[in-house]
Amino acid sequence: AQSVTQPDIHITVSEGASLELRCNYSYGATPYLFWYVQSPGQGLQLLLKYFSGDTLVQGIKGFEAEFKRSQSSFNLRKPSVHWSDAAEYFCAVGPNQGGKLIFGQGTELSVKP
Amino acid sequence: EADIYQTPRYLVIGTGKKITLECSQTMGHDKMYWYQQDPGMELHLIHYSYGVNSTEKGDLSSESTVSRIRTEHFPLTLESARPSHTSQYLCASQSLGQGLTEAFFGQGTRLTVV
């Protein structure tokens, strides 16, 4: 079955520190991969996406993610976290047999001053 | 610029009332979704549509219903609201063009049933 796992429910980092959020997927074919961010009480905003080509993709707000087929992973990274990055982050993969996006459980990021 | 709108943003309503959550998009997307999300929790797909006159149940059973009479409009209705329906409801749309594109999300409707 197709699935997405975000192993970390909650991560706390210090402002200015580097960040890596993990995402592992189970998918039978070449996946399309996405990272979304959700601020409290808001909808989801797309950070970046991977469809094909270069396995290191750049997104908005200084985020990047690397697709590693051998590890079935699509981890999100940022070299220096800002307090405004505190939010919930969702990894998604698609399409499944119904043409739908499958979301992970989300990782809540807190940023310490 | 993603143009998908949900109204109202916040709604407090009494038990037993009928409510409709509105979702409209101006991007001409064929596919639309409704997700239910409790605070700080994952998204649960409750309804989706491939286009006009198409509606499908999602992965999470829901007492709500949807309709898709126009491409741009995908309203969600609760005939009789209950406190268990208290949640955030997110609408999304997606193009069915070449390959898969990302889904665009509305700001959400936070529903409280008292």
Side-chain angles (χ1 to χ4, degrees):
Chain A
Q2 294 138 343
S3 64
V4 179
T5 301
Q6 293 179 245
D8 305 305
I9 296 174
H10 189 192
I11 284 182
T12 300
V13 299
S14 298
E15 190 167 17
S18 63
L19 170 71
E20 183 169 29
L21 303 182
R22 295 183 291 166
C23 173
N24 295 101
Y25 65 88
S26 172
Y27 197 79
T30 301
Y32 293 165
L33 295 157
F34 308 84
W35 274 100
Y36 285 86
V37 61
Q38 183 182 34
S39 298
Q42 300 295 312
L44 276 68
Q45 180 184 21
L46 182 72
L47 283 175
L48 48 77
K49 60 190 178 187
Y50 172 77
F51 287 174
S52 64
D54 193 347
T55 56
L56 183 64
V57 293
Q58 303 296 321
I60 62 171
K61 305 184 181 186
F63 285 93
E64 66 178 26
E66 186 171 12
F67 169 57
K68 292 185 177 180
R69 185 188 301 275
S70 61
Q71 299 177 17
S72 297
S73 69
F74 188 57
N75 294 347
L76 181 71
R77 301 195 294 248
K78 186 169 184 177
S80 177
V81 169
H82 188 261
W83 63 265
S84 60
D85 293 324
E88 187 89 15
Y89 291 81
F90 291 92
C91 180
V93 64
N96 69 353
Q97 291 177 341
K100 296 177 286 186
L101 286 179
I102 305 166
F103 284 87
Q105 303 92 323
T107 298
E108 183 182 358
L109 174 65
S110 298
V111 180
K112 293 189 300 185
Chain B
E1 182 83 22
D3 295 316
I4 178 165
Y5 306 101
Q6 290 185 243
T7 57
R9 286 293 311 280
Y10 303 93
L11 179 62
V12 180
I13 200 163
T15 297
K17 298 292 186 182
K18 177 180 179 179
I19 58 170
T20 296
L21 308 185
E22 301 289 347
C23 177
S24 295
Q25 51 97 5
T26 59
M27 297 172 282
H29 287 169
D30 295 302
K31 204 157 189 180
M32 296 188 74
Y33 304 86
W34 275 104
Y35 289 88
Q36 184 175 344
Q37 183 189 31
D38 291 325
M41 302 297 285
E42 61 194 288
L43 286 78
H44 295 287
L45 180 66
I46 52 174
H47 298 284
Y48 62 102
S49 166
Y50 286 105
V52 171
N53 295 325
S54 156
T55 60
E56 303 286 345
K57 294 281 190 184
D59 304 318
L60 179 68
S61 175
S62 174
E63 294 167 347
S64 59
T65 59
V66 292
S67 62
R68 190 86 183 274
I69 299 172
R70 304 197 313 266
T71 297
E72 62 271 22
H73 196 211
F74 191 42
L76 181 145
T77 298
L78 277 166
E79 290 293 333
S80 180
R82 296 209 302 266
S84 60
H85 296 140
T86 295
S87 190
Q88 173 157 260
Y89 293 84
L90 292 169
C91 181
S93 73
Q94 187 177 30
S95 172
L96 277 179
Q98 294 182 346
L100 180 72
T101 65
E102 66 267 32
F104 294 90
F105 282 81
Q107 296 279 67
T109 294
R110 182 166 295 284
L111 173 65
T112 302
V113 184
V114 297

